[in-house]
Amino acid sequence: MSLHVQVALSLPEWVHAQVDTGHAYPGDESKVALAIELSRLNIEAGSGGPFGAVVFDAANDRIVSVGVNRVLPQHCSVAHAETMACMLAQQRLQRARMNRDLDDNIVGRYVLATSSQPCCQCYGATVWAGIDRLLIGARSEDVEALTEFDEGPLPADWVGELERRGIEVVRDLHRDAAREVLRRYGQSDARRY
Ligand SMILES: [Zn+2]
């Protein structure tokens, strides 16, 4: 068996038709609404689990990148919606921390909107990704009640830990709509994604 030295991750083809990078999404609610719409489209297309995320440029409310869960199609446990969106934004911006350059100068402000509260992996990823705001739809308890996913352990004061690192957290945006996608997924036999 040959040694693998590269990982290639990609979003499903349908995102090209569904995502308009020229459109502005003012306000917190419209940003999370798009993340939830991506989560819904992902399960309808059978292209991954019921999670969507979007990175926005806070200067103009436009999309920098999007992500959907790609774990099972791409055999990759880290390919969650939030990590996909952050990795793709960092590649587009050519910065490991979106909001800072190599000299630690602030070069922009970025918002990560996600259909559900980040799991323990994505929580850790958001600490280093260089985002300024985190907007969340469903809560982790919704994910665990409506699906079989384990969200993993988080610090008891996970919101405070982010805010102490300069990341503002806004929760419960379109929570019911996000829960509806999770419920639909949990009730389907589509849990192979
Ligand atoms: Zn995650």
Side-chain angles (χ1 to χ4, degrees):
M1 189 185 262
S2 62
L3 184 67
H4 280 249
V5 295
Q6 184 173 350
V7 174
L9 296 171
S10 59
L11 298 179
E13 279 296 310
W14 58 257
V15 298
H16 292 293
Q18 298 291 340
V19 174
D20 177 2
T21 55
H23 188 76
Y25 292 82
D28 292 347
E29 298 216 333
S30 70
K31 292 179 175 67
V32 171
L34 176 61
I36 294 168
E37 175 68 1
L38 292 171
S39 75
R40 187 184 68 75
L41 291 166
N42 205 35
I43 60 171
E44 282 194 357
S47 48
F51 304 101
V54 189
V55 173
F56 293 93
D57 186 337
N60 57 19
D61 292 320
R62 292 192 177 178
I63 296 168
V64 179
S65 67
V66 304
V68 292
N69 178 289
R70 298 286 283 156
V71 168
L72 294 186
Q74 304 206 315
H75 320 295
C76 182
S77 64
V78 304
H80 290 191
E82 300 95 319
T83 45
M84 291 293 292
C86 288
M87 290 190 289
L88 289 165
Q90 289 158 355
Q91 294 306 297
R92 177 171 171 185
L93 298 167
Q94 290 288 288
R95 289 195 293 272
R97 276 200 186 221
M98 295 177 218
N99 59 3
R100 290 181 184 269
D101 66 16
L102 290 174
D103 297 320
D104 215 27
N105 299 307
I106 294 173
V107 292
R109 285 178 52 79
Y110 295 92
V111 179
L112 174 62
T114 180
S115 62
S116 293
Q117 180 183 322
C119 72
C120 66
Q121 169 196 279
C122 296
Y123 174 76
T126 61
V127 172
W128 316 124
I131 61 166
D132 298 279
R133 304 185 73 221
L134 174 62
L135 312 178
I136 301 171
R139 295 190 172 212
S140 282
E141 57 257 42
D142 301 329
V143 176
E144 293 187 339
L146 296 168
T147 72
E148 294 176 345
F149 293 108
D150 173 10
E151 293 292 280
L154 286 180
D157 184 21
W158 63 271
V159 172
E161 293 288 350
L162 291 178
E163 297 199 332
R164 277 188 283 283
R165 290 166 174 81
I167 302 168
E168 181 188 358
V169 178
V170 184
R171 306 167 76 184
D172 297 336
L173 295 159
H174 291 300
R175 183 180 178 185
D176 287 343
R179 285 169 54 89
E180 183 53 35
V181 177
L182 296 169
R183 181 179 296 111
R184 199 180 306 175
Y185 178 84
Q187 290 174 347
S188 74
D189 58 4
R191 279 163 279 180
R192 295 181 302 280
Y193 311 147

